[in-house]
Structures are given as structure tokens and as C-alpha cells.
Amino acid sequence: MLEKFIYISDMIGVIACAISGVLVATRLRMDPFGITVLAGVTGIGGGTIRDMMMGATPVFWIIDNTYIYVILLTAIISVYWLHRIHRFPVYLLPILDAFGLAIFTIIGAQKALAFGFSGPVAIVMGCVTGVVGGMIRDMLSGQIPFVLQKEIYATASILGATLYVICDYLAFGPIVAMMIAMLGTLSLRLSAIYWHLSLPVFSSDREA
């Protein structure tokens, strides 16, 4: 039951993040290869880096090629949909990012604990899984990644991973713990989007 829940959640996260990659690629008028690359790195980039850091090789999508097929199918359907509507709502990208962040963060933390790593390491692995795919997408598209700006993004990921580690320590049921942590991450990120919340920005500039 737990493995099925994690797998389905992971696929939902891959789809959400792959669509966000397609949205960025089409906005920048990339060709089909560029669209596929951005969809792929956004969908599985964070999990790939996580598995490599933990020594969980071959990485998950090499073992299970379903991830590749899901990304390709998502990219094709998304491009067709965008071609039909000609434009997409500006709020769609951050919302999809928020769902992907919530799902990937908790799956990353859960996998780290399952591999026997400590709580702090699980929090870091959760954050890596949640934010790195979007970072790679943004860097490839010539943008400053969300996580490096004033957005409450990595903060939401750290909160979610921490909640999961705490719930696991308190012996909550694994699915209950994952749901609590995902909702915590999603709530903070969506609240930040809706109310335009952000972290303080520091600068070394001084007026003459």
C-alpha cells in the first residue's frame, strides 16, 4: 500500500513538474527537443541528483522507464493543449511548481530515511529532490532559479521535509506522515503565492 501511494504520488509530481517545464519552454519558443529536455529535467532532475548523492544507483528512472514515457506523453499533450488555447494563465506555473515541490520533497525525505540516513540528511535530500529540478530548468532557460530569489520556495521544502522527519520520529503512519508533510509544504508555498509573501533581500550596494 505504501509503495503504491509513493509511486502514484511520484508520478503526479513528475507530470506537474514536466508541464511546468513545457510552459517555460514554449514561452521561450523552444523547439521540440528543448521542450522535451526542460520537461525531463524538471520532472526527474531533483530525484536523479538525490539518488546519485545517496548512492542509490542506477537511478530510479533508469530502472523504471515508465518515468520517461510519462514525461514524453505529458510533453506532447501539454504542447497540443497550449497550441489549442494559445496562452496559459500566469498563475499556472507557480501552482504546478508548488505541487511538484510538495510531492518531491516528501518522497525525497522518505527515501533517505528508508536508506538509513539521519533526519538532517533526510531533510537535505528532501530539499534537493524538491528544488533541484526547477533550478536546472531555470538555469537552462536563462532565468534566475526561484530558490535563489526572495520566493518562499526552499523554505517551504525545508518545512515539509522537517515535518515528515518529525512525524516519522513520532511513529505516525507513513502515509499519514507524508500527507501531513505534503500539506504543510503546499500550504506555505501557496500562501506565499497568494499573499505575495517573500523573504528579505540583502544587498551590498551603498549610496554614495
Side-chain angles (χ1 to χ4, degrees):
M1 178 68 178
L2 175 61
E3 290 183 0
K4 186 175 182 180
F5 176 79
I6 293 173
Y7 190 72
I8 292 174
S9 298
D10 204 16
M11 284 298 175
I12 293 172
V14 168
I15 291 170
C17 287
I19 294 173
S20 76
V22 172
L23 292 176
V24 172
T26 52
R27 186 175 63 195
L28 297 175
R29 299 182 179 277
M30 291 188 177
D31 62 17
F33 178 74
I35 292 172
T36 305
V37 168
L38 285 198
V41 298
T42 313
I44 59 178
T48 299
I49 301 300
R50 173 205 64 212
D51 283 4
M52 292 174 65
M53 292 176 69
M54 295 196 308
T57 54
V59 297
F60 64 100
W61 57 268
I62 292 179
I63 298 173
D64 184 358
N65 293 165
T66 304
Y67 287 91
I68 298 175
Y69 304 141
V70 167
I71 288 171
L72 291 173
L73 184 60
T74 300
I76 292 170
I77 293 174
S78 299
V79 169
Y80 175 75
W81 174 65
L82 289 171
H83 179 71
R84 290 291 301 273
I85 66 173
H86 301 296
R87 59 182 299 178
F88 63 89
V90 294
Y91 57 79
L92 187 58
L93 178 58
I95 288 177
L96 288 171
D97 255 357
F99 276 92
L101 179 71
I103 293 170
F104 285 162
T105 292
I106 311 313
I107 288 176
Q110 187 277 334
K111 188 167 186 177
L113 290 179
F115 270 67
F117 290 101
S118 66
V121 172
I123 293 171
V124 173
M125 290 299 103
C127 193
V128 166
T129 311
V131 308
V132 168
M135 286 182 66
I136 298 173
R137 175 202 65 204
D138 292 343
M139 288 188 291
L140 289 177
S141 59
Q143 304 177 81
I144 299 175
F146 274 155
V147 69
L148 300 181
Q149 301 184 61
K150 61 183 180 179
E151 297 281 345
I152 296 180
Y153 193 74
T155 307
S157 180
I158 293 170
L159 170 67
T162 303
L163 283 174
Y164 180 77
V165 170
I166 292 172
C167 288
D168 180 76
Y169 177 78
L170 295 175
F172 282 37
I175 295 179
V176 173
M178 293 183 74
M179 291 298 297
I180 291 173
M182 285 181 187
L183 286 173
T185 307
L186 191 61
S187 297
L188 179 56
R189 180 63 187 134
L190 290 180
S191 296
I193 293 171
Y194 185 79
W195 281 294
H196 304 288
L197 305 176
S198 62
L199 297 173
V201 176
F202 299 95
S203 174
S204 61
D205 293 340
R206 294 289 187 275
E207 292 184 4

